Amino acid sequence: MVVSTLYPTDFQMHLFHEGTFYHSYQLFGAHVFSENGRGVTRFCVWAPSARIVRLVGDFNNWNGTDYTFHRVNKEGIWMLILPENLEGSLYKYEIVTNDGMSLLKSDPYAFYSELRPNTASRVYRLDSYQWSDFKWQVKKEKKLSFSEPVIIYELHFGSWKKHANGEFLTYLEMADELIPYILDHGFTHVELLPLVEHPLDDSWGYQGTGYFSPTSRYGAPHELKYFIDQCHQNGIGVILDWVPGHFCKDAHGLYQFDGSHLYSYEHPNDRENDIWGTANFDLGKPEVQSFLISNALYWMENFHIDGFRLDAVANIIFWPNSNEEKPNLFGLDFLKKLNKVLIDNDPTVIIIAEDSTDWPQVTTPVDYDGLGFQYKWNMGWMNDILEYMETPSQNRNEVHQKITFSLLYAFSENFVLPFSHDEVVHGKKSLLNKMPGDYWQKFAQLRLLLGFMMAHPGKKLLFMGFEFGQFVEWKDKEQLDWPLFDFEMHEKVNVYVKELIKVYKRSKPLYELDHLQTGFEWIDVNNSDQSIFSFLRIGCDADDFLLIVCNFTEKKYSNYKVGVPNECKYREVFNSDQEQFGGSGHTNKKILKVEKRVFHGKPYTIEINIPPFGISILRPVKSRKERKGSGKEKVRSHASSRGER
């Protein structure tokens, strides 16, 4: 049966083979239509090296004899239209190669897949969900992330929490369980490890087979939409880990799809990714570009994803198996093309590069010769601060530069500061257990580390479990150690994290100018003997700033002198050593007065208590009475003039 209106147009095929068919998923894959009141199901696949393509499924007893595709063009687009509604049916493509081999392949554009270990695709309609996140979409357009607080909770869907019998929570159950938890802690976004269909649980989704297919481990696609919809209705952004560099080599997937290396590079040295046992996408092939860019838009348009964290960008920027760092021009051009298309489609989209290289202008717009990402993971900061924290406190004076070095390049890109899953797995220990010292010191240093992270320029990302001091590293086959909430210090560090996030979100100097040098100023950067650092974080209004003092040793100080830029009083608005957080209580409870004495190159000096392994955040304040329309008087604290500095 031929229904001409359902066949691809010459223009669509031209765009696909040109690498600019950015909605190719609307043509390829399985689609259900209504023609003259009857159900029709269309299948379309790209397989230029195939001699024959047949459709097999549960509707024909997996026998494709009478279900042979028609080749639409010489470039290898095949199509089959059946006069029946096959919604919900399982299917695969039987591809007979030029050398006579018969391959059974899942649909690269399938919208739903069979539950692993089975590997068939499932016919699924995309229009089965009604969204209710209009207010979120409007809010996003008004507030771009650069000048807003961003603190991301990175999450592995399958091990955050499980049922007593070890089974996964579903998308629907996670909406009920996770969203209140995120709201209670104050995270602005949740970042999900890849949810594309993948055969092996141990890959955490980073080795996918079904790029258009949300994994069926946790439910159906419309149930994932419900989860995202509920996140949006509660003011939570959703970022998806996405892997456009390499793919899984399982027999039913993209690898040698039609007998040729269709989706991957032809040359083995370019194709084979020995680190992960995967195959690298041929990012110079136009049809692969159409596939991948279309996939990103698919997640944005059909699942309302707010952004992507691109995995292993170094594997795209450079040829992976080169003995020297040889730029991959195909990969670089692809990244520019991808990012420009996504941002042109939705200027609010957040695109983050997990990039371990020193490639320049990663977060510079494409029109200004950059790669076009909004953010880049600051891997250098992460490695330096963890090395510093893992150094015994008495030796930290020897690695003083591990704290200071990041500020030499902190404004060269728009950075996200990451403590991700990669840092708490494979023997690396949890954040808490990385800290040296005794039990109390470990918790004190974790609080200090998190406080310093919030005060350092850059948006924030932390992997699940940090918020209550998970003691063992992440175990992807088990849920988080929720019973730790029964222990006092773990409960107190959770209280600390909640309060710290509140302080971060309500303090504009901590996020407004993350990307500009004017948002940061050292007060004392040279005190390596005591391992004490002091600096200012400054908001868009230059009169709005915070003074931060960090002590990276177990010694405490009273009447410690710090230079300040102006003549006013100071109030401590946060101290990690408060007793409610598990600290010793060495805080600054009273308003602090300044003395007109030059110190640290500043015209004024204050004396403060410095807590052991602690961070203090102070704000210059001045009280004034302000009459409101109601006639009631209200005392308000506000930043005073910073004066000459």
Side-chain angles (χ1 to χ4, degrees):
M1 175 182 178
V2 176
V3 184
S4 60
T5 58
L6 298 184
Y7 265 62
T9 66
D10 290 340
F11 185 59
Q12 286 177 319
M13 291 187 288
H14 168 76
L15 291 179
F16 178 68
H17 296 304
E18 183 186 61
T20 58
F21 193 8
Y22 301 140
H23 291 87
S24 58
Y25 69 87
Q26 295 176 355
L27 171 64
F28 293 95
H31 294 266
V32 176
F33 301 93
S34 178
E35 286 279 315
N36 300 319
R38 297 178 61 186
V40 175
T41 306
R42 182 189 69 190
F43 296 87
C44 186
V45 63
W46 175 53
S49 293
R51 185 174 17 154
I52 301 171
V53 178
R54 301 188 184 98
L55 180 71
V56 299
D58 58 3
F59 47 86
N60 63 7
N61 201 29
W62 302 94
N63 185 337
T65 301
D66 297 324
Y67 292 78
T68 301
F69 281 66
H70 166 68
R71 185 163 186 153
V72 178
N73 66 359
K74 62 182 177 60
E75 290 83 11
I77 295 177
W78 299 76
M79 183 167 284
L80 174 65
I81 299 174
L82 299 177
E84 53 185 315
N85 183 341
L86 293 178
E87 183 176 0
S89 298
L90 297 173
Y91 70 99
K92 278 190 175 183
Y93 299 136
E94 181 186 0
I95 296 176
V96 180
T97 67
N98 282 326
D99 58 5
M101 291 182 61
S102 181
L103 308 174
L104 277 181
K105 292 288 187 176
S106 301
D107 184 351
Y109 284 87
F111 301 142
Y112 193 15
S113 299
E114 197 175 13
L115 180 63
R116 56 95 178 87
N118 297 322
T119 58
S121 303
R122 190 181 296 275
V123 179
Y124 188 84
R125 298 182 67 113
L126 288 175
D127 56 0
S128 60
Y129 185 83
Q130 296 296 317
W131 289 88
S132 301
D133 64 348
F134 176 74
K135 290 183 179 179
W136 168 260
Q137 302 299 340
V138 172
K139 177 184 176 182
K140 275 204 311 180
E141 294 177 1
K142 294 180 179 179
K143 291 187 176 183
L144 295 179
S145 62
F146 295 110
S147 58
E148 293 294 318
V150 174
I151 177 162
I152 304 167
Y153 189 64
E154 188 190 33
L155 177 101
H156 176 242
F157 225 90
S159 61
W160 182 74
K161 186 177 288 188
K162 291 189 174 185
H163 289 290
N165 62 2
E167 291 183 357
F168 299 131
L169 296 186
T170 66
Y171 294 123
L172 300 180
E173 290 169 333
M174 285 289 277
D176 293 337
E177 295 269 353
L178 177 63
I179 291 173
Y181 187 82
I182 291 176
L183 291 174
D184 186 41
H185 286 77
F187 300 104
T188 60
H189 296 75
V190 60
E191 181 178 310
L192 306 172
L193 270 60
L195 289 179
V196 300
E197 195 56 82
H198 55 283
L200 182 65
D201 291 357
D202 291 354
S203 78
W204 312 330
Y206 287 99
Q207 297 186 13
T209 51
Y211 271 65
F212 290 82
S213 181
T215 179
S216 54
R217 285 166 173 79
Y218 316 118
H222 67 274
E223 293 172 330
L224 174 57
K225 291 180 180 181
Y226 173 84
F227 169 81
I228 297 169
D229 198 359
Q230 290 299 306
C231 284
H232 287 170
Q233 291 182 48
N234 285 279
I236 302 165
V238 181
I239 298 169
L240 183 66
D241 267 20
W242 191 58
V243 189
H246 61 106
F247 60 89
C248 174
K249 291 168 65 175
D250 284 49
H252 66 281
L254 299 175
Y255 193 67
Q256 293 184 299
F257 184 77
D258 61 353
S260 72
H261 293 290
L262 187 60
Y263 285 88
S264 55
Y265 292 108
E266 188 67 31
H267 195 283
N269 197 52
D270 301 331
R271 177 179 67 246
E272 299 301 320
N273 197 311
D274 296 331
I275 297 175
W276 297 300
T278 54
N280 295 313
F281 276 110
D282 184 346
L283 298 176
K285 188 174 290 185
E287 294 87 352
V288 173
Q289 294 176 6
S290 288
F291 174 81
L292 288 171
I293 297 175
S294 177
N295 181 245
L297 285 175
Y298 164 82
W299 285 102
M300 290 170 61
E301 295 171 351
N302 292 279
F303 289 86
H304 291 200
I305 290 293
D306 301 293
F308 302 93
R309 175 265 198 187
L310 267 65
D311 181 64
V313 169
N315 186 66
I316 298 175
I317 292 177
F318 294 103
W319 290 104
N321 296 323
S322 175
N323 292 327
E324 57 187 25
E325 288 193 339
K326 181 180 178 182
N328 180 351
L329 299 183
F330 295 132
L332 291 166
D333 289 344
F334 166 76
L335 290 175
K336 293 177 182 180
K337 185 176 182 179
L338 166 75
N339 290 334
K340 185 164 180 25
V341 169
L342 298 189
I343 293 170
D344 286 348
N345 183 76
D346 180 3
T348 72
V349 66
I350 296 173
I351 317 173
I352 306 170
E354 188 261 317
D355 175 25
S356 57
T357 76
D358 58 359
W359 190 266
Q361 295 184 290
V362 172
T363 59
T364 299
V366 173
D367 292 342
Y368 292 88
D369 203 28
L371 293 187
F373 288 92
Q374 273 82 24
Y375 297 101
K376 171 181 175 175
W377 271 19
N378 195 335
M379 311 284 277
W381 172 85
M382 178 271 297
N383 286 317
D384 282 350
I385 187 61
L386 290 181
E387 182 178 341
Y388 182 87
M389 295 302 298
E390 290 181 273
T391 301
S393 60
Q394 65 270 20
N395 301 124
R396 284 177 178 162
N397 62 323
E398 300 172 6
V399 290
H400 189 77
Q401 74 282 358
K402 294 294 181 182
I403 291 286
T404 62
F405 182 65
S406 63
L407 272 306
L408 296 178
Y409 62 85
F411 311 103
S412 62
E413 302 278 5
N414 301 324
F415 281 118
V416 170
L417 309 181
F419 288 143
S420 75
H421 65 279
D422 280 332
E423 309 319 313
V424 293
V425 74
H426 298 325
K428 295 180 182 177
K429 299 187 289 189
S430 69
L431 282 184
L432 176 62
N433 209 20
K434 290 178 190 288
M435 304 298 106
D438 60 28
Y439 185 79
W440 186 91
Q441 291 175 338
K442 283 181 178 292
F443 280 94
Q445 290 176 93
L446 177 64
R447 296 193 302 269
L448 170 58
L449 173 63
L450 297 176
F452 179 70
M453 179 191 199
M454 293 298 166
H456 191 287
K459 308 309 181 185
K460 329 296 177 187
L461 176 142
L462 293 121
F463 187 59
M464 63 184 194
F466 87 94
E467 70 276 13
F468 59 85
Q470 175 119 342
F471 231 117
V472 298
E473 67 179 20
W474 175 42
K475 301 162 292 189
D476 61 290
K477 293 182 175 61
E478 302 176 26
Q479 67 174 357
L480 296 181
D481 289 337
W482 298 108
L484 289 178
F485 273 96
D486 295 334
F487 294 86
E488 181 182 18
M489 288 298 286
H490 293 275
E491 193 276 331
K492 285 186 173 182
V493 79
N494 190 245
V495 172
Y496 172 79
V497 167
K498 292 178 184 179
E499 188 60 32
L500 179 63
I501 293 175
K502 286 180 183 177
V503 170
Y504 167 68
K505 290 171 67 177
R506 68 180 177 227
S507 303
K508 291 183 178 181
L510 294 181
Y511 59 79
E512 278 190 326
L513 298 178
D514 274 329
H515 54 297
L516 294 176
Q517 178 69 58
T518 52
F520 179 92
E521 181 182 335
W522 284 113
I523 296 292
D524 185 10
V525 67
N526 297 315
N527 190 355
S528 59
D529 291 339
Q530 294 172 299
S531 297
I532 295 176
F533 300 82
S534 53
F535 54 91
L536 300 178
R537 288 301 312 275
I538 307 157
C540 289
D541 179 354
D543 292 336
D544 186 16
F545 68 98
L546 297 174
L547 169 65
I548 291 99
V549 183
C550 299
N551 175 20
F552 287 93
T553 74
E554 65 273 21
K555 295 179 181 179
K556 65 179 181 180
Y557 302 88
S558 299
N559 303 319
Y560 184 92
K561 293 180 175 60
V562 180
V564 292
N566 58 353
E567 186 177 14
C568 67
K569 298 176 181 179
Y570 283 79
R571 173 184 291 115
E572 185 174 78
V573 295
F574 190 76
N575 190 312
S576 64
D577 198 45
Q578 290 177 238
E579 292 179 359
Q580 64 170 325
F581 303 147
S584 66
H586 196 62
T587 62
N588 297 276
K589 297 178 181 179
K590 296 181 179 180
I591 297 293
L592 302 174
K593 297 180 180 180
V594 303
E595 181 181 353
K596 190 170 183 179
R597 183 198 308 173
V598 175
F599 200 69
H600 291 147
K602 304 302 177 187
Y604 303 98
T605 304
I606 60 171
E607 294 184 354
I608 67 173
N609 294 327
I610 300 285
F613 289 132
I615 178 172
S616 302
I617 301 178
L618 301 99
R619 179 183 291 277
V621 295
K622 187 188 295 180
S623 295
R624 72 180 183 188
K625 290 186 177 180
E626 184 175 74
R627 188 173 296 277
K628 298 293 183 181
S630 63
K632 296 181 180 180
E633 290 186 342
K634 190 174 183 179
V635 176
R636 186 178 70 174
S637 297
H638 64 96
S640 66
S641 172
R642 293 176 58 213
E644 295 293 324
R645 297 197 289 114

